[in-house]
Amino acid sequence: MRCSVIALPVLAAATSVVARAPSPGEDGKYTISSKGIKAQFIPYGATLTNLFVKDKNGEDVDVVLGYDDLDYYPVDKGHPVYNSIPGRYVNRIGKGTYTINNTTYITELNDGTNTLHSGTNNWSYRVWNVTDLTEDSITFSVYDASNSSRGMLGDVEGEVTYSVKGSTWNIKMNAKSLDEKTPLMLTQHTYFNLDAYKNPDTVKIWNHTLYMPYSQRYLVADDGALPTGEIGTAAPLSINDFASQPDLYLGHAQNDPRFAGNCGGGGACEGYNGYFLIDDAPKDAVVVSLASAFSGIKADLRTDQPGVVIYSCNWMDGTPDLKSTQGTAENRKVVRSSCVAIEAQDYVDGINHPEWGRLDKQISGPGQKYSWESSWTFGNL
Ligand SMILES: *[C@@H]1O[C@H](CO)[C@@H](O)[C@H](O)[C@H]1NC(C)=O
Ligand SMILES: *[C@@H]1O[C@H](CO)[C@@H](O)[C@H](O)[C@H]1NC(C)=O
Ligand SMILES: *[C@@H]1O[C@H](CO)[C@@H](O)[C@H](O)[C@H]1NC(C)=O
Ligand SMILES: *[C@@H]1O[C@H](CO)[C@@H](O)[C@H](O)[C@H]1NC(C)=O
Ligand SMILES: *[C@@H]1O[C@H](CO)[C@@H](O)[C@H](O)[C@H]1NC(C)=O
Ligand SMILES: *[C@@H]1O[C@H](CO)[C@@H](O)[C@H](O)[C@H]1NC(C)=O
């Protein structure tokens, strides 16, 4: 007995050496790769900084937005939640309030009259822990103490694992609330430009095609991109239609007078910043296909989520720098409407719309397990 007690500290020390957090490469990034993909990450926001996939000529193209300067992510005033994990409750909470079991909670108004991405202590602003690293996968974890996102009570543990296999990038998240019922809803918030801003004719996203065969329905939103409660159905070729045919450009409705204000902002938000429902998709079906003829790259999304937010980068104002892997001598900045964020998630503000039947999915408590899974498969046109 005595002997084993004495031996314990030695064992513990040995274990802690083995379990030491993995270190990044000399460039400060964690790199994972497979035959078709190289993906790089940083702990800040569990952020994907670079994603190299093959274009139609077999060349590597970095298809996601980001910065070369890793120190810039935390100080970037625009903070577009570049390819990170916002949480614990993604997207908007209408009027900064929600109710669980007859108790009303007040959250922080950081987006006009609403809460966006859980307010100013959101997960995309935290330095996550790296808990596992292999050649083709990395796991980050976050511990979110009660009320550190104001108005969201109970401690929450979250984890994301990114892995690559062949030409597919997989993303799996798990989370649990340890001691209270709390809002819990996550997404992976990646911004794409499949031409890496190298198309000399246009850096705008409008010439990418978008196909969402199961997403005829969408949440109608007000001027602040908050769902009104109404669910719309897009008629073929109308402004919010990306379901009726596979080759519709993201800019197919550019000549529609409503396009200039289709995502609110007092009529100043052009394009898209809204939620499309995924209805009756067979298991493992491709639910979103984004493609560009210039690079010949096609990106196919599969997800276990019931919908997806499409945001066409209206609020990018031309100040953010492009990475050195992107752009041309002339194109060095992220200009308006030059990218698209595609975010698989549950119904936006479903916590305030019991009529949608999402409360069980968006509120989680002790003993329950939240999970989220998506993948992107890259190919050529
Ligand atoms: C809701 O309130 C009831 C009555 O106070 C309580 O029994 C129940 O445990 C509460 N449920 C949750 C999920 O907190
Ligand atoms: C919530 O309030 C309603 C209306 O006052 C009441 O009928 C219900 O029992 C309450 N539920 C809980 C869990 O306390
Ligand atoms: C997230 O938190 C940071 C740091 O507190 C804050 O500056 C930022 O505005 C927040 N983001 C959003 C979208 O609220
Ligand atoms: C990282 O792990 C340390 C040690 O367990 C913990 O104190 C810290 O809160 C963790 N950081 C995050 C962001 O969860
Ligand atoms: C949560 O934090 C806010 C300030 O950020 C405070 O006003 C509120 O009382 C806190 N709530 C609880 C239950 O501690
Ligand atoms: C966009 O695509 C259309 C159809 O292929 C083509 O006619 C047009 O030239 C393209 N525009 C730009 C700016 O690349």
Side-chain angles (χ1 to χ4, degrees):
M1 275 328 274
R2 254 185 94 92
C3 194
S4 69
V5 168
I6 290 164
L8 254 179
V10 177
L11 265 179
T15 309
S16 75
V17 169
V18 172
R20 195 176 53 199
S23 0
E26 270 170 28
D27 58 3
K29 301 174 193 173
Y30 294 84
T31 300
I32 64 174
S33 59
S34 61
K35 201 157 174 241
I37 298 187
K38 183 170 97 171
Q40 299 183 295
F41 302 88
I42 52 171
Y44 182 74
T47 298
L48 170 78
T49 59
N50 303 77
L51 183 66
F52 296 94
V53 304
K54 302 287 181 197
D55 71 6
K56 62 188 176 190
N57 303 317
E59 302 289 332
D60 288 327
V61 178
D62 187 359
V63 293
V64 299
L65 275 70
Y67 301 118
D68 282 339
D69 178 5
L70 303 184
D71 294 333
Y72 188 63
Y73 283 86
V75 298
D76 170 17
K77 285 208 164 40
H79 201 289
V81 195
Y82 264 172
N83 323 337
S84 62
I85 311 292
R88 68 176 71 173
Y89 188 90
V90 71
N91 216 298
R92 288 172 178 75
I93 295 181
K95 315 296 177 225
T97 179
Y98 67 92
T99 299
I100 299 177
N101 219 2
N102 288 354
T103 303
T104 294
Y105 300 86
I106 308 292
T107 55
E108 190 179 355
L109 303 182
N110 64 329
D111 185 64
T113 53
N114 305 311
T115 301
L116 180 60
H117 298 325
S118 303
T120 52
N121 197 25
N122 44 75
W123 291 8
S124 62
Y125 279 73
R126 299 189 196 188
V127 179
W128 294 46
N129 286 318
V130 179
T131 50
D132 195 33
L133 178 68
T134 71
E135 277 177 11
D136 58 11
S137 90
I138 186 165
T139 300
F140 294 97
S141 69
V142 66
Y143 189 84
D144 184 15
S146 182
N147 207 31
S148 58
S149 296
R150 202 172 104 195
M152 300 195 198
L153 305 186
D155 294 355
V156 168
E157 287 175 351
E159 184 180 86
V160 57
T161 297
Y162 299 114
S163 62
V164 288
K165 190 169 186 201
S167 53
T168 298
W169 172 36
N170 291 295
I171 310 149
K172 282 187 190 184
M173 295 195 270
N174 290 300
K176 55 185 184 218
S177 173
L178 304 180
D179 38 41
E180 300 241 21
K181 285 261 174 192
T182 192
L184 198 47
M185 171 169 149
L186 303 174
T187 195
Q188 209 285 335
H189 198 301
T190 286
Y191 288 87
F192 294 97
N193 179 307
L194 297 180
D195 297 338
Y197 289 82
K198 288 179 190 292
N199 183 347
D201 294 327
T202 180
V203 293
K204 299 276 185 179
I205 202 69
W206 308 131
N207 258 43
H208 281 48
T209 57
L210 182 70
Y211 183 38
M212 305 196 289
Y214 308 100
S215 299
Q216 226 190 347
R217 296 198 302 155
Y218 62 95
L219 298 183
V220 176
D222 69 12
D223 200 53
L226 181 71
T228 60
E230 185 189 343
I231 296 181
T233 299
L237 303 184
S238 66
I239 192 164
N240 290 313
D241 175 36
F242 292 100
S244 71
Q245 22 179 305
D247 54 357
L248 285 173
Y249 287 109
L250 251 163
H252 78 85
Q254 260 180 302
N255 295 328
D256 185 317
R258 289 166 300 178
F259 190 81
N262 191 48
C263 45
C269 183
E270 66 173 3
Y272 303 92
N273 186 16
Y275 187 82
F276 292 83
L277 283 64
I278 298 168
D279 290 317
D280 305 321
K283 190 169 156 36
D284 294 330
V286 173
V287 293
V288 178
S289 276
L290 179 73
S292 175
F294 176 77
S295 62
I297 296 171
K298 177 155 118 51
D300 287 339
L301 175 71
R302 292 176 173 84
T303 185
D304 64 2
Q305 297 297 296
V308 68
V309 167
I310 302 292
Y311 166 51
S312 58
C313 294
N314 177 77
W315 303 110
M316 298 299 189
D317 62 2
T319 49
D321 285 324
L322 286 170
K323 289 181 284 189
S324 52
T325 50
Q326 300 182 320
T328 60
E330 296 76 39
N331 307 332
R332 298 301 330 144
K333 299 285 186 182
V334 181
V335 299
R336 184 182 188 204
S337 305
S338 64
C339 48
V340 61
I342 301 181
E343 314 152 41
Q345 60 189 255
D346 214 282
Y347 291 38
V348 174
D349 197 31
I351 198 166
N352 284 312
H353 290 278
E355 73 276 17
W356 293 339
R358 306 310 300 174
L359 295 184
D360 284 354
K361 300 282 180 197
Q362 300 196 0
I363 296 170
S364 199
Q368 289 175 293
K369 245 187 110 177
Y370 173 93
S371 67
W372 182 106
E373 189 170 349
S374 296
S375 72
W376 286 99
T377 297
F378 296 90
N380 293 130
L381 290 175

CSV table of all heavy atoms in Angstrom, one decimal, residues 62-84:
chain,number,residue,atom,x,y,z
A,62,ASP,N,-6.2,28.1,-52.0
A,62,ASP,CA,-6.7,28.4,-50.6
A,62,ASP,C,-8.1,29.0,-50.7
A,62,ASP,O,-8.2,30.2,-51.0
A,62,ASP,CB,-5.7,29.3,-49.9
A,62,ASP,CG,-5.9,29.5,-48.5
A,62,ASP,OD1,-6.9,29.0,-47.9
A,62,ASP,OD2,-5.1,30.3,-47.8
A,63,VAL,N,-9.1,28.2,-50.4
A,63,VAL,CA,-10.5,28.7,-50.7
A,63,VAL,C,-11.2,29.4,-49.6
A,63,VAL,O,-12.4,29.7,-49.7
A,63,VAL,CB,-11.3,27.5,-51.2
A,63,VAL,CG1,-10.8,26.9,-52.5
A,63,VAL,CG2,-11.4,26.3,-50.2
A,64,VAL,N,-10.5,29.6,-48.4
A,64,VAL,CA,-11.2,30.3,-47.3
A,64,VAL,C,-10.6,31.6,-47.0
A,64,VAL,O,-9.4,31.8,-47.2
A,64,VAL,CB,-11.4,29.4,-46.1
A,64,VAL,CG1,-12.1,28.1,-46.4
A,64,VAL,CG2,-10.0,29.1,-45.5
A,65,LEU,N,-11.3,32.5,-46.4
A,65,LEU,CA,-10.8,33.8,-46.0
A,65,LEU,C,-10.0,33.7,-44.7
A,65,LEU,O,-10.1,32.7,-44.0
A,65,LEU,CB,-11.9,34.8,-45.9
A,65,LEU,CG,-12.2,35.5,-47.2
A,65,LEU,CD1,-12.9,34.5,-48.1
A,65,LEU,CD2,-13.1,36.7,-47.0
A,66,GLY,N,-9.1,34.7,-44.5
A,66,GLY,CA,-8.3,34.7,-43.2
A,66,GLY,C,-7.2,35.7,-43.4
A,66,GLY,O,-7.2,36.5,-44.3
A,67,TYR,N,-6.3,35.7,-42.4
A,67,TYR,CA,-5.2,36.6,-42.4
A,67,TYR,C,-3.9,35.9,-42.3
A,67,TYR,O,-3.8,34.8,-41.7
A,67,TYR,CB,-5.3,37.5,-41.1
A,67,TYR,CG,-6.6,38.3,-41.1
A,67,TYR,CD1,-7.5,38.2,-40.0
A,67,TYR,CD2,-6.9,39.2,-42.1
A,67,TYR,CE1,-8.7,38.9,-40.0
A,67,TYR,CE2,-8.0,40.0,-42.1
A,67,TYR,CZ,-8.9,39.8,-41.0
A,67,TYR,OH,-10.1,40.5,-41.0
A,68,ASP,N,-2.8,36.4,-42.9
A,68,ASP,CA,-1.5,35.9,-42.8
A,68,ASP,C,-1.0,36.1,-41.3
A,68,ASP,O,-0.4,35.2,-40.7
A,68,ASP,CB,-0.5,36.6,-43.7
A,68,ASP,CG,-0.6,36.1,-45.1
A,68,ASP,OD1,-1.1,34.9,-45.3
A,68,ASP,OD2,-0.2,36.8,-46.0
A,69,ASP,N,-1.3,37.3,-40.8
A,69,ASP,CA,-0.8,37.7,-39.5
A,69,ASP,C,-1.8,37.1,-38.4
A,69,ASP,O,-2.9,37.7,-38.2
A,69,ASP,CB,-0.8,39.3,-39.5
A,69,ASP,CG,-0.4,39.8,-38.1
A,69,ASP,OD1,0.0,39.0,-37.3
A,69,ASP,OD2,-0.4,41.0,-37.9
A,70,LEU,N,-1.3,36.1,-37.7
A,70,LEU,CA,-2.1,35.4,-36.8
A,70,LEU,C,-2.5,36.4,-35.6
A,70,LEU,O,-3.5,36.2,-34.9
A,70,LEU,CB,-1.5,34.2,-36.3
A,70,LEU,CG,-1.1,33.1,-37.4
A,70,LEU,CD1,-0.6,31.9,-36.7
A,70,LEU,CD2,-2.3,32.8,-38.2
A,71,ASP,N,-1.6,37.3,-35.3
A,71,ASP,CA,-1.8,38.3,-34.2
A,71,ASP,C,-3.0,39.2,-34.5
A,71,ASP,O,-3.5,39.9,-33.6
A,71,ASP,CB,-0.6,39.1,-33.9
A,71,ASP,CG,0.5,38.2,-33.4
A,71,ASP,OD1,0.2,37.1,-32.8
A,71,ASP,OD2,1.7,38.5,-33.6
A,72,TYR,N,-3.4,39.3,-35.8
A,72,TYR,CA,-4.4,40.2,-36.2
A,72,TYR,C,-5.8,39.7,-35.8
A,72,TYR,O,-6.7,40.5,-35.6
A,72,TYR,CB,-4.3,40.6,-37.6
A,72,TYR,CG,-5.2,41.7,-38.1
A,72,TYR,CD1,-5.1,43.0,-37.5
A,72,TYR,CD2,-6.3,41.5,-39.0
A,72,TYR,CE1,-6.0,44.0,-37.8
A,72,TYR,CE2,-7.2,42.5,-39.3
A,72,TYR,CZ,-7.0,43.7,-38.7
A,72,TYR,OH,-7.8,44.8,-39.1
A,73,TYR,N,-6.0,38.4,-35.8
A,73,TYR,CA,-7.3,37.8,-35.5
A,73,TYR,C,-8.0,38.4,-34.3
A,73,TYR,O,-9.1,38.9,-34.3
A,73,TYR,CB,-7.3,36.3,-35.4
A,73,TYR,CG,-7.2,35.6,-36.8
A,73,TYR,CD1,-6.0,35.4,-37.4
A,73,TYR,CD2,-8.3,35.1,-37.4
A,73,TYR,CE1,-5.9,34.7,-38.6
A,73,TYR,CE2,-8.2,34.4,-38.6
A,73,TYR,CZ,-7.0,34.2,-39.2
A,73,TYR,OH,-6.9,33.5,-40.4
A,74,PRO,N,-7.3,38.4,-33.1
A,74,PRO,CA,-7.9,38.9,-31.9
A,74,PRO,C,-8.1,40.4,-31.9
A,74,PRO,O,-9.0,40.9,-31.1
A,74,PRO,CB,-6.9,38.6,-30.8
A,74,PRO,CG,-5.9,37.7,-31.4
A,74,PRO,CD,-5.9,37.9,-32.8
A,75,VAL,N,-7.4,41.2,-32.7
A,75,VAL,CA,-7.5,42.7,-32.6
A,75,VAL,C,-8.4,43.3,-33.7
A,75,VAL,O,-8.7,44.4,-33.7
A,75,VAL,CB,-6.2,43.4,-32.5
A,75,VAL,CG1,-5.4,43.0,-31.3
A,75,VAL,CG2,-5.4,43.1,-33.8
A,76,ASP,N,-8.7,42.4,-34.7
A,76,ASP,CA,-9.5,42.9,-35.9
A,76,ASP,C,-10.8,43.4,-35.4
A,76,ASP,O,-11.7,42.7,-34.9
A,76,ASP,CB,-9.7,41.7,-36.8
A,76,ASP,CG,-10.7,41.9,-37.9
A,76,ASP,OD1,-11.0,43.1,-38.2
A,76,ASP,OD2,-11.1,41.0,-38.5
A,77,LYS,N,-11.0,44.7,-35.6
A,77,LYS,CA,-12.3,45.3,-35.1
A,77,LYS,C,-13.5,44.8,-35.9
A,77,LYS,O,-14.6,44.7,-35.3
A,77,LYS,CB,-12.2,46.8,-35.3
A,77,LYS,CG,-11.3,47.5,-34.2
A,77,LYS,CD,-11.7,48.9,-33.9
A,77,LYS,CE,-11.1,49.5,-32.7
A,77,LYS,NZ,-9.7,49.1,-32.4
A,78,GLY,N,-13.3,44.5,-37.2
A,78,GLY,CA,-14.4,44.0,-38.0
A,78,GLY,C,-14.9,42.6,-37.5
A,78,GLY,O,-16.0,42.2,-37.6
A,79,HIS,N,-14.0,41.8,-37.0
A,79,HIS,CA,-14.2,40.5,-36.5
A,79,HIS,C,-15.3,39.7,-37.2
A,79,HIS,O,-16.4,39.6,-36.6
A,79,HIS,CB,-14.4,40.4,-35.0
A,79,HIS,CG,-14.1,39.0,-34.4
A,79,HIS,ND1,-14.9,37.9,-34.6
A,79,HIS,CD2,-13.0,38.6,-33.7
A,79,HIS,CE1,-14.4,36.9,-34.0
A,79,HIS,NE2,-13.2,37.2,-33.5
A,80,PRO,N,-15.1,39.3,-38.4
A,80,PRO,CA,-16.2,38.6,-39.1
A,80,PRO,C,-16.5,37.1,-38.7
A,80,PRO,O,-17.2,36.4,-39.3
A,80,PRO,CB,-15.8,38.7,-40.5
A,80,PRO,CG,-14.3,38.9,-40.5
A,80,PRO,CD,-13.9,39.4,-39.2
A,81,VAL,N,-15.9,36.7,-37.5
A,81,VAL,CA,-16.0,35.3,-37.1
A,81,VAL,C,-15.5,34.4,-38.2
A,81,VAL,O,-16.1,33.4,-38.6
A,81,VAL,CB,-17.5,35.0,-36.7
A,81,VAL,CG1,-17.6,33.7,-36.0
A,81,VAL,CG2,-18.1,36.1,-35.9
A,82,TYR,N,-14.3,34.8,-38.7
A,82,TYR,CA,-13.7,34.0,-39.8
A,82,TYR,C,-13.5,32.5,-39.5
A,82,TYR,O,-12.6,32.2,-38.7
A,82,TYR,CB,-12.3,34.6,-40.1
A,82,TYR,CG,-12.2,35.7,-41.2
A,82,TYR,CD1,-11.0,36.4,-41.4
A,82,TYR,CD2,-13.3,35.9,-42.0
A,82,TYR,CE1,-10.9,37.3,-42.4
A,82,TYR,CE2,-13.2,36.9,-43.0
A,82,TYR,CZ,-12.0,37.6,-43.2
A,82,TYR,OH,-11.9,38.5,-44.2
A,83,ASN,N,-14.3,31.7,-40.1
A,83,ASN,CA,-14.0,30.2,-40.1
A,83,ASN,C,-13.9,29.7,-38.7
A,83,ASN,O,-13.1,28.8,-38.5
A,83,ASN,CB,-12.8,29.9,-40.9
A,83,ASN,CG,-12.6,30.7,-42.1
A,83,ASN,OD1,-13.6,31.3,-42.6
A,83,ASN,ND2,-11.4,30.8,-42.6
A,84,SER,N,-14.6,30.3,-37.7
A,84,SER,CA,-14.4,29.8,-36.3
A,84,SER,C,-15.7,29.2,-35.8
A,84,SER,O,-16.7,29.0,-36.6
A,84,SER,CB,-14.0,31.0,-35.5
A,84,SER,OG,-15.0,32.0,-35.5
